[in-house]
Amino acid sequence: MTISALGVAPSPPETAFPVRFQYDLSYASADHGIKRLVKEHSLNNLTAQYISILWDEGSHKTNVRSFLGEICEILSGERFSVFTQEMLDSVIGTLRERGNSNATINRKMAALSKLLRKACKMGDIYNLPEFRRQKERQGRIRFLEAEEEQRLFSAIRMRCEDSYRLSVFLVDTGCRLGEAIGLNWNDLQDSRSTFWLTKSGRSRTVPLTSRVKEVVQIPHGRLKGPFAMHTQVRFRAIWNEAKAEVGLGTDDQVVPHILRHTCASRLVRGGIDIRRVQIWLGHQTLSMTMRYAHLATNDLDSCVAVLERH
């Protein structure tokens, strides 16, 4: 409007004219990813596709392949786009009927769960069943007494000096067989051994005993590490021959892994607190190490004096 000395001039009347708006509507999907139809797969197909991505080479991968192969056999090669809860319950039930302990079932289900999670993430299957850990009973932990170790190691040494060296290393470091065989020379520094290829994926370093320092002192030559001349199959064969010779052939708990149990038991019985034993062994959780806690009987001796006063 215009302001003048005469007052406020009225605004000119609005001219009526048609107003037209033209809308250009276009729709875009918020998800620009590629859509694909989920097909049906067998467990063998998924295993072949992802096992080398999910698991490193070694004995653990071999075990996983065996576990998944057995589960596929239970499913009769059934193809699926959804792994249902009924399928999972059927597998667990069959494993239990075959005499698998809850601990063994848990290991097999861990492999299956890892594979199915990957397949689901990659869009190969729609969803996942609920995996519930089976309650495990704590069985008796077998370990070697000093006299048993001496007899067994002597029999091993008669057959193979390298196997004897490896046995000493295993019992004094508490490492797993695969961890020892996979050592490189650079992993042995300043009287310590660092294990990089571990079951948990976490490295750890432990100091070496005097006799371990001796058994790793061999010419390097073209060897990758102090026990690179060995394979697990070869060592187990020598182990089984030796244990049969010394009268332990019928004891199915006397396997190379017993040396890890023996190391742990000696630490606990020697008064080392359970937390440090956990770090030494490389256990992910303290509950795994607590299997050895009952061996710390010396910690309870002071309780007797208290009870005898009453």
Side-chain angles (χ1 to χ4, degrees), residues 143-152 262 266 269:
F143 51 86
L144 296 178
E145 298 291 354
E147 181 270 335
E148 288 180 312
E149 178 191 310
Q150 183 178 4
R151 287 190 293 121
L152 181 58
T262 301
R266 289 175 180 173
R269 289 192 295 178

Side-chain angles (χ1 to χ4, degrees), residues 59-213:
S59 60
H60 183 56
K61 181 178 178 181
T62 301
N63 291 337
V64 164
R65 191 186 300 277
S66 175
F67 294 161
L68 296 174
E70 181 182 7
I71 295 171
C72 189
E73 175 262 318
I74 292 173
L75 295 171
S76 301
E78 179 181 347
R79 301 178 70 85
F80 55 87
S81 57
V82 176
F83 200 98
T84 66
Q85 196 69 43
E86 290 75 14
M87 292 169 66
L88 179 62
D89 292 344
S90 175
V91 169
I92 293 175
T94 302
L95 290 173
R96 186 163 285 119
E97 289 173 1
R98 292 182 176 184
N100 286 225
S101 67
N102 283 357
T104 301
I105 292 174
N106 283 336
R107 289 196 294 272
K108 294 179 179 181
M109 291 304 100
L112 177 62
S113 174
K114 187 172 182 177
L115 178 66
L116 292 182
R117 288 200 311 271
K118 177 66 174 179
C120 188
K121 184 175 182 180
M122 299 304 294
D124 295 311
I125 60 176
Y126 285 111
N127 63 350
L128 300 173
E130 181 183 0
F131 285 86
R132 293 183 179 179
R133 185 172 179 81
Q134 307 295 309
K135 187 174 181 180
E136 298 181 16
R137 295 180 181 179
Q138 180 176 320
R140 175 176 178 266
I141 296 176
R142 176 77 160 90
F143 51 86
L144 296 178
E145 298 291 354
E147 181 270 335
E148 288 180 312
E149 178 191 310
Q150 183 178 4
R151 287 190 293 121
L152 181 58
F153 282 17
S154 294
I156 290 174
R157 193 170 197 175
M158 290 291 292
R159 287 166 171 77
C160 177
E161 181 69 21
D162 289 330
S163 295
Y164 165 74
R165 294 190 306 102
L166 178 53
S167 299
V168 170
F169 187 88
L170 291 172
V171 78
D172 277 12
T173 64
C175 73
R176 301 176 181 88
L177 179 56
E179 293 172 347
I181 292 177
L183 279 176
N184 292 328
W185 291 113
N186 286 339
D187 299 334
L188 300 168
Q189 300 285 344
D190 300 324
S191 299
R192 283 171 164 72
S193 177
T194 299
F195 302 104
W196 299 97
L197 303 176
T198 66
K199 185 178 179 180
S200 66
R202 300 175 182 176
S203 63
R204 70 182 187 282
T205 301
V206 300
L208 304 180
T209 64
S210 297
R211 66 172 181 168
V212 168
K213 293 176 187 177

Side-chain angles (χ1 to χ4, degrees), residues 247-259:
L248 296 172
T250 59
D251 192 334
D252 58 5
Q253 295 191 64
V254 180
V255 295
H257 197 73
I258 198 176
L259 299 180

